[in-house]
Amino acid sequence: MQRTDPLDTGAGSLLRQPKAVWATAGASVVAFMGIGLVDPILPSIARGLSATPGQVSLLFTSYFLITAFAMLVTGWVSSRVGGRRTLLLGLALVVVFAGLSGTSDSVAELVGFRAGWGLGNALFVSTALAVIVGAAAGGSAAAILLYESALGLGMACGPLLGALLGDASWRYPFFGTAALMAVGFLCITAFLKEQPRPARRTSLLDPLKALGHGGLASVAASAFFYNYTFFTVLAFTPFVLDMTPYRSGAVFFAWGVLLAVFSVVVAPRLQRRFGSLKVLGGSLLLLAADVLVLGYGDHGTAVVCTILSGAFIGVNNTVYTELALGVSDAPRPVASAGYNFVRWFAAAAAPFFAPRIEEWTDVHVPFVVAAVTAVAGAAVVAARRGALVHEAEELEPRHAAEDGVAVFAD
């Protein structure tokens, strides 16, 4: 069966979108910016609050731990109150908790406020793609490209905004995010009408039941190991690089640009040529080698490897998304929620364990562990190939947007 390419969408159909679509896409950019916003200012936060790297890394742990559990709740909420209200609720929570984060006087306060921010972001992002698809002109291909472009732009610009505002004070990036999300709240209030609710309400247990499917459980397990590697790079590397906010922001901006380009442009072409499982396995092994060199190289090598990791992460995100949504017979919103529930636990674990592993051993070992987890992810794909190969090679890529599913932060 011929694989489709969202990049075949004409530029005209992509750009001619209703105001509601642009309002939601713009807010999505800011929502994804929030993930990497703190990267360049982590050392500044540690100095400002007299905290250790391990304590500051909890900003990621609390954020993603709440996000993981929120995956079981977002579908339940949106299927009952509607997409528009879910978006506005998520935005309101981000505005409140991002603003409160900037007022923190201790790491404990900041970690708690980031948890509330994570809940709001999960509610927003898990619903945004469904809304974009429902309101977009030009079909689902245009909506997919628009959403993935927003994701990539947000991941790239988050560290840049954090650096520009954080150079004056580590508090300013939080206030800036709150202000931008407040603008998004007003735009969605003004331009977005309520979307049709799904015919069937989602149960809180549906995502967990979906993980009973061997193929989906295998994808989720592999993605769990991969996400540990991903967030070791994102949350621990800034301490290793130990650069000014401007320099660190530039590094992670370049990282985000590679992530966006390889996710939207390169990954679909590699999949058509080599097949999803070969691309995923190869990319995971290359990521393992990259983080190993990052951990043992000199400062310049570490900078290059950090940026280069964005390419492998972009490819992996795209392939995992398609596998998770196509491997089981569960409804895509339910499959996505179950998959994300598992993998975001690793995103919470890596920022917690990496600095502690450094304290127990040395600075190299956290990257050795990250390399091992990337290899473990590839091993799961190889061992469970029989459960994955049919869907990966014979079905058209079934993007989340077709059923209004967002796969958070991919």
Side-chain angles (χ1 to χ4, degrees):
M1 188 175 289
Q2 182 66 33
R3 294 175 70 88
T4 59
D5 186 349
L7 292 172
D8 291 337
T9 304
S13 62
L14 177 65
L15 297 176
R16 291 194 296 268
Q17 299 294 340
K19 293 179 180 178
V21 172
W22 288 116
T24 307
S28 298
V29 171
V30 182
F32 286 114
M33 286 170 61
I35 296 177
L37 179 82
V38 299
D39 256 29
I41 58 172
L42 285 175
S44 299
I45 294 174
R47 288 191 295 270
L49 296 178
S50 301
T52 66
Q55 290 173 322
V56 173
S57 68
L58 293 175
L59 297 178
F60 284 99
T61 298
S62 64
Y63 184 94
F64 288 114
L65 190 61
I66 294 299
T67 296
F69 283 107
M71 288 298 120
L72 303 179
V73 177
T74 52
W76 184 88
V77 173
S78 62
S79 66
R80 285 162 174 78
V81 305
R84 182 175 182 272
R85 292 179 180 176
T86 304
L87 285 180
L88 293 175
L89 175 60
L91 285 170
L93 288 173
V94 172
V95 170
V96 170
F97 285 104
L100 288 173
S101 295
T103 67
S104 301
D105 292 322
S106 68
V107 171
E109 285 185 10
L110 186 52
V111 168
F113 293 145
R114 277 283 284 182
W117 185 345
L119 174 60
N121 221 41
L123 287 169
F124 175 82
V125 175
S126 66
T127 311
L129 187 51
V131 172
I132 289 176
V133 171
S140 62
I144 291 169
L145 184 55
L146 185 62
Y147 181 81
E148 291 184 348
S149 299
L151 186 157
L153 183 61
M155 291 293 285
C157 291
L160 196 61
L161 178 67
L164 292 174
L165 297 178
D167 190 59
S169 170
W170 66 263
R171 299 179 187 273
Y172 291 170
F174 297 111
F175 294 141
T177 300
L180 289 173
M181 289 303 256
V183 173
F185 183 96
L186 295 176
C187 289
I188 288 177
T189 300
F191 298 122
L192 180 64
K193 298 179 180 178
E194 184 57 81
Q195 304 295 296
R197 301 184 189 181
R200 177 182 174 274
R201 291 184 174 183
T202 300
S203 163
L204 291 174
L205 295 179
D206 282 349
L208 296 178
K209 293 177 181 177
L211 290 170
H213 185 279
L216 182 60
S218 300
V219 175
S222 178
F224 175 89
F225 289 116
Y226 155 66
N227 269 260
Y228 186 95
T229 308
F230 177 178
F231 285 93
T232 297
V233 173
L234 190 63
F236 182 65
T237 303
F239 292 107
V240 176
L241 298 180
D242 193 23
M243 304 166 78
T244 65
Y246 276 128
R247 292 179 180 273
S248 183
V251 168
F252 279 96
F253 173 73
W255 169 87
V257 169
L258 278 186
L259 186 154
V261 170
F262 274 74
S263 177
V264 176
V265 179
V266 178
R269 286 164 168 74
L270 290 176
Q271 287 175 272
R272 287 198 304 276
R273 182 169 181 178
F274 300 106
S276 293
L277 298 186
K278 289 181 180 179
V279 170
L280 181 59
S283 182
L284 285 168
L285 293 178
L286 288 172
L287 178 61
D290 180 79
V291 297
L292 200 59
V293 175
L294 192 165
Y296 281 92
D298 58 22
H299 189 268
T301 301
V303 169
V304 172
C305 289
T306 299
I307 295 172
L308 184 60
S309 70
F312 307 126
I313 289 169
V315 170
N316 293 338
N317 286 348
T318 295
V319 181
Y320 273 120
T321 297
E322 292 185 2
L323 288 176
L325 297 175
V327 75
S328 74
D329 55 1
R332 291 173 186 170
V334 174
S336 173
Y339 160 75
N340 280 297
F341 173 72
V342 172
R343 74 187 186 104
W344 286 121
F345 278 108
F352 177 81
F353 285 112
R356 284 159 180 79
I357 292 173
E358 181 196 15
E359 293 173 3
W360 301 331
T361 56
D362 60 50
V363 72
H364 307 298
V365 177
F367 294 102
V368 174
V369 175
V372 169
T373 55
V375 172
V380 172
V381 171
R384 296 291 297 165
R385 183 179 179 83
L388 303 175
V389 66
H390 178 75
E391 300 295 338
E393 294 185 351
E394 296 186 12
L395 292 183
E396 289 184 359
R398 300 195 294 178
H399 290 273
E402 294 173 8
D403 275 0
V405 183
V407 180
F408 181 36
D410 269 356

